[in-house]
Amino acid sequence: MSQNIFNLSGKTALVTGCKRGIGKAMALALAEAGADIIGVSANLELQGSSIEQEVTALGRRFYAYQCNFSDRESTLKFAAQVKADHPVIDILVNNAGTILRKPIAEHPDEMWDEVIAVNQTAPFILTREIGRDMVNRGSGKVIFTASLLSFQGGITVPGYAASKGAIASLTKAFANEWAAKGVNVNAIAPGYIATDNTSALREDQDRSTSILARIPAGRWGTPEDFKGPTLFLASGASDYVHGTILTVDGGWMGR
């Protein structure tokens, strides 16, 4: 096996939700391996963001975009614009997501609709639109961000659980159709990671203690724990990996 199997020099990667947390670590991992980065988040600074500074410090190019993924028309317009600006996108990382908490009996339609739009509909649209060109070229890598709630139901987050269950199935659905056409579609399912999305859990002493007791690794994960898995699924090292949901969870699912 070539020692350069993880080299992404000359590749261009689009990473959604790249401003902070897991998405930022994913983008940096790809840049460190040689890829130029197209970054998009709802509130990403179009110039001078932290992620832009870190990517360009590595000698890579960074192209910043904003998109409100809760709005379908905005998602479609972004897909058309980014394809026009960058005719070849080799790697797509669908990481942008949101979570809204409310007991299920009081969970309003507005919360449901927003989470489904951002976490499920937008990644489907982006993968369809950008992946179509990958299929036509005969090569490409798509990575979805799934969740432990792709396998479990969670508490007070029905929209999030439903959307992440759908992401697991979409990963397999795209892989079933595109594996023979040179496009790898896989997902990474984070466990309990110290990010903004889990701040409420970490601040709840009882929940935090019970969660840690179930993690064999004995700690919350960090965004840096996603650099290796992302590079693996974005590189030639994963050429025979299709439709897989890779758990990065400190052993949670094994337990």
Side-chain angles (χ1 to χ4, degrees):
M1 184 176 291
S2 169
Q3 63 180 352
N4 296 319
I5 199 166
F6 294 104
N7 187 355
L8 299 181
S9 296
K11 304 289 187 182
T12 298
L14 168 57
V15 183
T16 73
C18 70
K19 185 174 180 177
R20 58 184 182 270
I22 292 172
K24 183 178 181 181
M26 290 172 150
L28 287 173
L30 301 177
E32 287 165 357
D36 292 327
I37 306 297
I38 304 165
V40 57
S41 294
N43 300 305
L44 180 66
E45 300 92 335
L46 295 180
Q47 286 187 326
S49 66
S50 171
I51 179 62
E52 177 179 7
Q53 293 175 36
E54 292 183 53
V55 168
T56 55
L58 293 167
R60 310 313 313 157
R61 295 184 180 91
F62 185 86
Y63 308 94
Y65 291 81
Q66 293 179 345
C67 183
N68 174 12
F69 288 119
S70 68
D71 181 76
R72 183 175 301 198
E73 287 306 311
S74 295
T75 302
L76 287 165
K77 286 179 181 178
F78 166 70
Q81 185 64 59
V82 78
K83 287 175 60 173
D85 294 345
H86 307 277
V88 178
I89 297 173
D90 303 284
I91 300 157
L92 170 62
V93 181
N94 287 302
N95 175 72
T98 191
I99 188 167
L100 297 173
R101 302 177 186 276
K102 193 87 169 179
I104 202 164
E106 293 88 41
H107 206 85
D109 291 349
E110 293 78 14
M111 279 190 172
W112 172 271
D113 290 344
E114 180 176 349
V115 172
I116 294 297
V118 174
N119 292 5
Q120 179 176 330
T121 303
F124 169 74
I125 290 171
L126 290 181
T127 303
R128 180 190 67 197
E129 296 302 307
I130 293 169
R132 182 186 298 125
D133 295 337
M134 294 178 177
V135 169
N136 289 338
R137 291 195 306 270
S139 67
K141 302 279 186 172
V142 178
I143 303 170
F144 287 96
T145 296
S147 169
L148 291 184
L149 297 197
S150 297
F151 312 100
Q152 303 168 345
I155 299 170
T156 74
V157 288
Y160 187 83
S163 67
K164 293 303 184 177
I167 287 299
S169 289
L170 273 177
T171 299
K172 298 168 189 174
F174 275 112
N176 287 346
E177 295 194 34
W178 289 356
K181 299 177 180 179
V183 179
N184 297 77
V185 184
N186 294 288
I188 294 173
Y192 287 92
I193 313 302
T195 65
D196 292 347
N197 273 1
T198 59
S199 59
L201 289 177
R202 287 180 287 117
E203 290 165 7
D204 183 329
Q205 190 58 50
D206 290 340
R207 289 292 306 280
S208 180
T209 299
S210 67
I211 287 168
L212 278 173
R214 281 197 57 185
I215 301 174
R219 66 172 176 88
W220 288 76
T222 68
E224 287 68 30
D225 290 318
F226 293 84
K227 284 188 169 185
T230 300
L231 179 55
F232 168 63
L233 291 178
S235 70
S238 61
D239 281 350
Y240 198 58
V241 180
H242 297 275
T244 289
I245 302 161
L246 174 60
T247 54
V248 181
D249 62 357
W252 178 281
M253 288 300 294
R255 180 153 183 185

